[in-house]
């Protein structure tokens, strides 16, 4: 590298070099400011959620604020789950079902599975077994975790069993029952015995 040529270039293009340095400094400073603001915002949102969970007198309002103002954050989605469950415990199913939509685009595997699981329940509760089964199938396909995957498969089998669709239920249950790593193996084996018995009667 020829230092003399660099110095000569800087002397001849001093204004451009200064302008370039200023622009670079502003860009770097702006980037740092943006990151710090985002970090602070994330911390503030987290603090709101922690306050709600620690028994703040305005916990319900804090959770609703998180869902309304920060719906696309982890804590906003966690608040949606809490509000959904609170409504379910109070028998407010229609109100509870409104919170499911906040979980739809979550990248978190637990929240994503919660979306499909509760979404399916609300669909079936509203009388649409077909849509409920579809959501359970989508939930199974949306995860790589054996525990979550077999949860959705077992739930589908239970619904199919209740609907009298024994052949379809049997196929799902056999796969789960043969997998020694599945946490639903014993449940699947127990239900499989009932399905087989009813299939023979039919």
């Amino acid at each position: 590298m020829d230092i003399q040529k660099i110095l000569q270039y800087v002397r001849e293009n001093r204004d451009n070099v200064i302008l370039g340095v200023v622009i670079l400094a502003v860009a770097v400073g702006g980037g740092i400011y943006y990151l710090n603001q985002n970090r602070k915002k994330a911390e503030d949102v987290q603090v709101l959620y922690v306050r709600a969970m620690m028994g703040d007198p305005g916990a319900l309002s804090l959770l609703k604020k998180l869902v309304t103002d920060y719906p696309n954050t982890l804590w906003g989605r966690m608040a949606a789950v809490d509000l959904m469950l609170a409504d379910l415990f109070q028998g407010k199913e229609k109100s509870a079902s409104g919170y499911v939509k906040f979980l739809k685009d979550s990248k978190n595997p637990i929240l994503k599975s919660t979306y499909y699981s509760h979404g399916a329940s609300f669909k079936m509760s509203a009388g649409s077994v077909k849509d409920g089964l579809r959501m359970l199938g989508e939930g199974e396909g949306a995860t790589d975790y054996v525990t979550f995957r077999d949860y959705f498969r077992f739930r589908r089998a239970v619904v199919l069993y209740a609907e009298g669709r024994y052949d379809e239920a049997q196929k799902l249950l056999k796969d789960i029952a043969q997998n020694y790593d599945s946490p639903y193996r014993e449940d699947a084996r127990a239900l499989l015995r009932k399905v087989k018995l009813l299939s023979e009667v039919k």
Side-chain angles (χ1 to χ4, degrees), residues 11 21 28 51 60 66 70 79 83 91 98 106 147 150 153 173-174 181 198 202:
R11 278 194 298 272
V21 170
V28 170
R51 276 179 53 195
L60 194 60
L66 283 165
Y70 311 101
L83 289 169
S106 178
T147 301
D150 281 0
R153 297 175 86 191
L173 292 168
K174 275 183 179 177
D181 293 327
L198 288 169
K202 191 174 77 169

Side-chain angles (χ1 to χ4, degrees), residues 39 61 64-65 136-137 147 152 160-161 182 194:
R39 188 180 299 115
S61 296
K64 287 181 178 177
K65 177 179 175 60
L136 291 174
T147 301
F152 285 111
L160 291 167
Y161 165 73
S182 175
K194 293 181 183 177

Side-chain angles (χ1 to χ4, degrees), residues 36-52 62 65-66 70 73 75-76:
N36 284 338
Q37 288 298 104
N38 277 358
R39 188 180 299 115
K40 184 180 184 309
K41 179 182 173 184
E43 288 171 356
D44 290 345
V45 173
Q46 183 177 354
V47 166
L48 286 177
Y49 185 79
V50 170
R51 276 179 53 195
L62 288 174
K65 177 179 175 60
L66 283 165
Y70 311 101
T73 66
W75 304 108

Side-chain angles (χ1 to χ4, degrees), residues 15-40:
D15 291 343
N16 288 338
V17 170
I18 291 171
L19 181 60
V21 170
V22 169
I23 290 173
L24 180 63
V26 169
V28 170
I32 292 171
Y33 175 78
Y34 176 78
L35 290 173
N36 284 338
Q37 288 298 104
N38 277 358
R39 188 180 299 115
K40 184 180 184 309

Side-chain angles (χ1 to χ4, degrees), residues 63-196:
L63 291 174
K64 287 181 178 177
K65 177 179 175 60
L66 283 165
V67 173
T68 304
D69 296 350
Y70 311 101
N72 297 320
T73 66
L74 170 65
W75 304 108
R77 289 178 174 128
M78 292 285 286
V81 172
D82 292 327
L83 289 169
M84 178 180 68
L85 294 176
D87 279 350
L88 281 174
F89 290 144
Q90 296 176 61
K92 302 174 183 176
E93 189 172 324
K94 187 174 180 182
S95 175
S97 67
Y99 289 110
V100 171
K101 64 184 178 186
F102 293 101
L103 310 177
K104 184 176 183 179
D105 297 321
S106 178
K107 303 292 185 228
N108 181 291
I110 295 175
L111 293 178
K112 191 72 171 179
S113 292
T114 301
Y115 163 74
Y116 286 115
S117 177
H118 282 281
S121 295
F122 291 131
K123 293 285 185 188
M124 288 186 280
S125 182
S128 182
V129 174
K130 181 181 177 182
D131 286 338
L133 284 169
R134 176 184 52 76
M135 284 197 79
L136 291 174
E138 288 173 359
E140 178 190 338
T143 181
D144 294 326
Y145 293 95
V146 172
T147 301
F148 293 167
R149 187 194 68 215
D150 281 0
Y151 162 77
F152 285 111
R153 297 175 86 191
F154 183 72
R155 269 200 70 189
R156 278 173 60 210
V158 169
V159 174
L160 291 167
Y161 165 73
E163 290 290 303
R165 294 160 64 177
Y166 302 131
D167 291 341
E168 294 172 73
Q170 191 167 339
K171 186 176 183 303
L172 286 170
L173 292 168
K174 275 183 179 177
D175 288 342
I176 301 170
Q178 291 168 0
N179 182 3
Y180 286 88
D181 293 327
S182 175
Y184 293 93
R185 180 172 181 263
E186 293 306 318
D187 292 324
R189 291 178 68 189
L191 186 56
L192 186 57
R193 286 192 289 271
K194 293 181 183 177
V195 170
K196 284 180 177 177

